[in-house]
Amino acid sequence: MILTKARELNGVIRVPGDKSISHRAVMFGAIAEGITTISGFLPGEDCLSTISCFQKLGVAIERDGEHVKVHGKGLSGLQEPKEVLDVGNSGTTIRLMLGILANTSFHCTVIGDDSIGKRPMKRVTEPLRSMGARIDGRANGQYTPLSIRGGGIQGVAYTSPVASAQVKSAVLLAGLQAGGATSVTEPEKSRDHTERMLRAFGCDVKTDGLTVTIEGGQELQAAHVEVPGDISSAAFFLVAGAIMPNSKITLRKVGLNPTRTGILDVLKQMGASIAIENVQNEAFEPYGDITVETSSLKGVEIGGALIPRLIDEIPILALAATQAEGVTVIKDAAELKVKETNRIDTVVHELQKLGARAEATDDGMIIYGKARLQGVQVSSHGDHRIGMMLAVASCIAEGETNLQQAEAVAVSYPNFFEQLKELQQESPR
Ligand code: SPQ
């Protein structure tokens, strides 16, 4: 895809539904009693993989655009699939689904694309095995293909070495079906969509600091889920609006769950002009409208407990750092190495191609501002977030940027390029 430098970005848009919440709404609806309805569902490839896997497990799911109806089967109603369960590119689908399958008496084989084949699965297969699930797979259950036959699982008190919502959720979803209580303790707090949604489906889930506990044997009751906009998708336009001249962008109904809003904290600290309005707190996930305007940014240090609150936004924050005065240091983010790509290496490599000064470190990166970017051939490497970061970079880069594997953005943001174009065509403010 050939992208050219933009003059300014102006307008009001609604970003698509939150990916993490969309996945969970389908999965929890599938194992609940009754019919779950979802509005604002993200029709991205990852969430469509979740629908397809649960359909293969015998769940009737109807979708009309962003509206989804899930005919719940209850906790013990899933059926042995006749085909392999293919999660495509989605880490959330495979890890949470393994937790759900940990107590089924039947057999399943789970696969994904090349990227999924490189992502570590022991972080979930190990605790699930310790609960009694029988899981096998390549490299002793570290990589796909995985095969699972659950049944007879017992609660566990699990201390996770990583702050990961996928690990926490997999163990809690198994715990829901296990004998006794299950608790998960993490080193830092990861996103808490699973805990919030389980409560919305009628479950008792206790949170005490970094430990979450659930009693086995609870039934989920179908619910209506309204999915707010995805702050991880909004992040691309938040940075675009801040680094582009003469720009003002408003993003409507964006999820503001505090475990996800690290991007807002950091952009404000960098000096970005950001206003949040119309905040709604009654739903189980808060949301509001965010407006960003052209800003002068300065470098910052990002690490510690902030990292899980913005882990998926680091690629686009790195681009913001190339346009900030001074140095930005990102540390404690080794988890970036096991995402859709090694996001430390791909971000640094692609930004360097565009003329930025960036260095990879063991657990993050160092970026020196302020750089004048020059359009060249770049690649998403099949990683949706790298693709969108590079598309935003093309708006400020001189000349033409040739983005390879642009189609990867459909994983989480199918109408990204349309909205980017829309904002370029709005009349100046
Ligand atoms: O689903 P997947 O492929 O893992 O997607 C990513 C992303 O960038 O969209 C990570 F690559 O988001 C994860 C996120 O990094 C989604 C997620 C969730 O919904 O629970 C949690 C985070 O991963 P983790 O490993 O920290 O739990």
Side-chain angles (χ1 to χ4, degrees), residues 116-166:
I116 280 291
K118 294 182 194 130
R119 295 180 69 182
M121 294 299 146
K122 260 217 179 113
R123 54 178 58 198
V124 291
T125 57
E126 220 161 58
L128 296 177
R129 279 170 171 168
S130 78
M131 298 173 83
R134 283 161 293 171
I135 308 178
D136 209 344
R138 189 160 54 93
N140 190 23
Q142 172 67 307
Y143 300 115
T144 54
L146 295 170
S147 75
I148 178 163
R149 186 184 289 275
I153 58 171
Q154 286 302 314
V156 72
Y158 184 65
T159 300
S160 173
V162 283
S164 159
Q166 294 176 359

Side-chain angles (χ1 to χ4, degrees), residues 95-320:
R95 297 201 177 110
L96 270 60
M97 188 168 68
L98 286 171
I100 290 174
L101 295 174
N103 200 43
T104 51
S105 54
F106 52 76
H107 169 260
C108 294
T109 300
V110 189
I111 59 162
D113 67 6
D114 286 351
S115 157
I116 280 291
K118 294 182 194 130
R119 295 180 69 182
M121 294 299 146
K122 260 217 179 113
R123 54 178 58 198
V124 291
T125 57
E126 220 161 58
L128 296 177
R129 279 170 171 168
S130 78
M131 298 173 83
R134 283 161 293 171
I135 308 178
D136 209 344
R138 189 160 54 93
N140 190 23
Q142 172 67 307
Y143 300 115
T144 54
L146 295 170
S147 75
I148 178 163
R149 186 184 289 275
I153 58 171
Q154 286 302 314
V156 72
Y158 184 65
T159 300
S160 173
V162 283
S164 159
Q166 294 176 359
V167 172
K168 174 174 64 178
S169 303
V171 176
L172 290 175
L173 288 165
L176 194 61
Q177 314 166 65
T182 291
S183 66
V184 184
T185 303
E186 14 179 30
E188 306 283 5
K189 193 170 168 67
S190 65
R191 63 190 70 186
D192 66 356
H193 303 300
T194 292
E195 298 90 302
R196 286 172 184 255
M197 201 182 291
L198 282 174
R199 290 185 191 114
F201 277 73
C203 285
D204 183 24
V205 182
K206 292 195 171 59
T207 302
D208 180 11
L210 297 173
T211 301
V212 184
T213 307
I214 194 165
E215 271 308 319
Q218 302 186 55
E219 257 182 17
L220 273 65
Q221 294 304 325
H224 173 66
V225 179
E226 289 208 25
V227 184
D230 197 325
I231 192 163
S232 297
S233 300
F236 296 98
F237 291 117
L238 290 173
V239 169
I243 64 177
M244 286 284 298
N246 305 319
S247 299
K248 182 176 181 180
I249 304 173
T250 296
L251 304 154
R252 295 241 185 268
K253 289 195 169 181
V254 179
L256 294 173
N257 179 320
T259 61
R260 296 281 300 281
T261 49
I263 175 83
L264 299 178
D265 299 346
V266 169
L267 283 176
K268 283 181 192 164
Q269 205 191 330
M270 292 177 86
S273 158
I274 287 185
I276 302 170
E277 289 167 307
N278 303 324
V279 177
Q280 302 290 322
N281 271 312
E282 317 76 271
F284 69 101
E285 291 280 356
Y287 61 87
D289 301 339
I290 312 176
T291 299
V292 63
E293 289 187 66
T294 307
S295 312
S296 304
L297 301 181
K298 57 180 192 298
V300 285
E301 191 171 305
I302 309 171
L306 193 53
I307 294 296
R309 295 181 57 233
L310 50 63
I311 187 77
D312 298 337
E313 288 68 77
I314 290 177
I316 191 67
L317 273 174
L319 175 67

